[in-house]
Amino acid sequence: MSAPASARVETASLAGMALGISAYSLFAVHDAMIKAVITALPAPQILFVRCIVIIALCLAIGRKGVVVDLWRSKNRMLILGRGLMTLAAWVMYYSAGRDLQLAEMTTLYYVAPVLTTVLAVVFLKEQLTLARVGGAAIGFFGIVVAANPSGFTIGWPVLMVLGAALFWAVAMILMRTISKSDRTLVQVFAQNLIQIAVMGAVCLPFWQDMGPRDIVLCIAAGLVGGIGQFTLVEAARAVPASVLGTVEYGALMWSFVFGYLFWGEMPATTVYVGAFLVVAAGLTLALSEHRNRREIIDAP
């Protein structure tokens, strides 16, 4: 019976990593949409509209059951904490988008997987394997090479992105804990419910008029972001937080693609070198996790 059990575990692990890459790819599309309107609208207003869309989706799918399950959840305080941490990360990150290029933002922001790996060891007692440390280090180095962030000057935009990375890493740890007991739809609903309350209080008194283009992009960001959030929570059920943080690098090259398509940023040779390092890190980690899971299941 060991072979079927091993196969199931291996499939779940690889599927979880694939879901993680898919989620972060969706977030890359989401980020490009928001960056397209961030110079015209304040970040709280954009996030407020986006959250309305996601909450509407959750209620359309889950109806009153999603509200009842949230009320009965034993993890309400953790859900609240995760919602506030994620909100802080997004507000800081998107506010910095007024002053930084997309490649610069992603380079700085994706120190988050390294922080997630460290926090997962400290708080979730996950094993710090050589493959996980190596995957995080090589992936981050690949992004640095790809972005070639020479000329960075330390200022508020840079500090905001680094702060966003820290808040996101903590939110990832909380998500991994919550995902063990609460439904995915409930988590997505709760997170956006918290954020819409806070963002509404911030942006409604200072609401700015939105043109048709702004409305379409914000609604589209809500649709894409909602699917991305759902996919990310599903991935957190299947793989450890340290692994999920590392596969985050697999979707980062989209930021360079979108930078070229929408803002005319021409990829240099270093982008391709960095992409190779990112892909190598992800494949190495996937193979290592696949082998480790099989050894655990097959062990007598």
Side-chain angles (χ1 to χ4, degrees), residues 23 26 31 121 126 135-136 146 150 158 161 172 195 210 247 252 257:
L26 289 169
D31 291 351
V121 174
E126 292 183 3
S150 58
V158 171
V161 175
M172 288 286 293
Q195 293 174 8
M210 301 174 64
V247 302
L252 289 184
V257 173

Side-chain angles (χ1 to χ4, degrees), residues 72-253:
R72 293 175 177 174
S73 173
K74 297 179 180 179
N75 294 316
R76 286 196 295 270
M77 294 307 298
L78 290 177
I79 291 174
L80 174 62
R82 187 205 164 205
L84 294 176
M85 288 291 177
T86 306
L87 176 60
W90 280 335
V91 169
M92 295 172 73
Y93 180 72
Y94 295 129
S95 296
R98 296 173 179 269
D99 302 296
L100 297 176
Q101 293 182 358
L102 192 60
E104 293 175 332
M105 292 169 61
T106 52
T107 300
L108 292 167
Y109 184 69
Y110 280 95
V111 71
V114 178
L115 297 175
T116 301
T117 299
V118 174
L119 293 176
V121 174
V122 175
F123 294 105
L124 300 181
K125 308 303 180 184
E126 292 183 3
Q127 185 179 1
L128 191 62
T129 65
L130 181 60
R132 292 176 185 177
V133 174
I138 296 173
F140 181 68
F141 179 70
I143 292 303
V144 172
V145 171
N148 190 24
S150 58
F152 270 160
T153 56
I154 300 299
W156 280 114
V158 171
L159 294 176
M160 281 195 295
V161 175
L162 292 175
L166 176 60
F167 283 127
W168 180 259
V170 176
M172 288 286 293
I173 299 302
L174 293 176
M175 181 182 66
R176 173 67 177 172
T177 302
I178 299 167
S179 65
K180 297 176 181 178
S181 55
D182 285 272
R183 285 197 298 145
T184 300
L185 195 64
V186 173
Q187 291 191 60
V188 174
F189 174 74
Q191 175 174 308
N192 287 276
L193 191 64
I194 293 166
Q195 293 174 8
I196 200 173
V198 177
M199 290 297 93
V202 171
C203 74
L204 288 178
F206 310 99
W207 190 265
Q208 296 186 17
D209 291 336
M210 301 174 64
R213 173 181 177 274
D214 300 331
I215 294 174
V216 169
L217 284 172
C218 288
I219 292 176
L223 294 172
V224 174
I227 297 172
Q229 289 179 30
F230 187 92
T231 306
L232 185 63
V233 177
E234 285 293 300
R237 297 182 186 279
V239 294
S242 54
V243 175
L244 187 58
T246 302
V247 302
E248 193 168 349
Y249 291 120
L252 289 184
M253 300 314 298

